[in-house]
Amino acid sequence: MSDCIFCKIVDGSIPSTKIYEDDHVYAFMDVAPLTKGHTLLVPKQHVKDLFEMPEEVARNLYAAAPKIANAIKSAFNPQGMNTINNNGSFAGQTVFHYHLHFIPRYDETDGLKVKWETKQSEFTQEVLKSFGEQIREKLNL
Ligand code: 5GP
Ligand code: ZN
């Protein structure tokens, strides 16, 4: 897509610090990292978000993910790593070409908050069963 910043990174018209590339995916350093080693993995094909991702693109993308995670782990020996993908602006997506963040974690003060307050008391087993049915109805199983 001509006006997509990540398509331009993939085709080399915008510079990036490349980590990995194969026929289907491209991984590069996030220009505004949260922690040392923060990396983005994108499909070479322009796909807006997870909702629009063809299965084959997902297969190829995730096939590369362990390689990248392990390379970052070997390089910097973090305590852990979050892999995060934001879909839609409400969820924090700012670049509308799918990307998976690899964020190595070194300490609790790095500013990433992934803990949430559970609302378990609002969701009884009956309610969860009904939610499950509603979602299953939408899958072509
Ligand atoms: P989002 O908020 O959409 O999940 O994440 C977009 C990410 O892309 C941000 O972390 C941002 O720093 C990164 N980013 C945006 N523009 C560029 C760029 O031109 N080059 C690189 N390397 N990263 C970018
Ligand atoms: Zn794109």
Side-chain angles (χ1 to χ4, degrees), residues 80-119:
M81 188 177 300
N82 292 95
T83 52
I84 298 176
N85 149 242
N86 301 323
N87 296 286
S89 24
F90 192 81
Q93 185 174 10
T94 58
V95 177
F96 294 89
H97 178 133
Y98 176 97
H99 47 284
L100 185 61
H101 292 261
F102 293 74
I103 306 180
R105 305 299 300 279
Y106 303 94
D107 61 64
E108 7 1 268
T109 64
D110 60 20
L112 182 60
K113 308 232 181 317
V114 284
K115 297 273 183 216
W116 52 85
E117 288 172 28
T118 165
K119 308 253 187 341

Side-chain angles (χ1 to χ4, degrees), residues 1 4-8 43-47 96-98:
M1 220 175 115
C4 170
I5 195 160
F6 286 176
C7 282
K8 288 180 179 161
K44 286 190 168 176
Q45 181 179 325
H46 180 86
V47 172
F96 294 89
H97 178 133
Y98 176 97

Side-chain angles (χ1 to χ4, degrees), residues 20-31:
Y20 174 78
E21 179 176 19
D22 64 24
D23 288 348
H24 309 286
V25 301
Y26 189 87
F28 55 104
M29 305 299 300
D30 193 306
V31 76

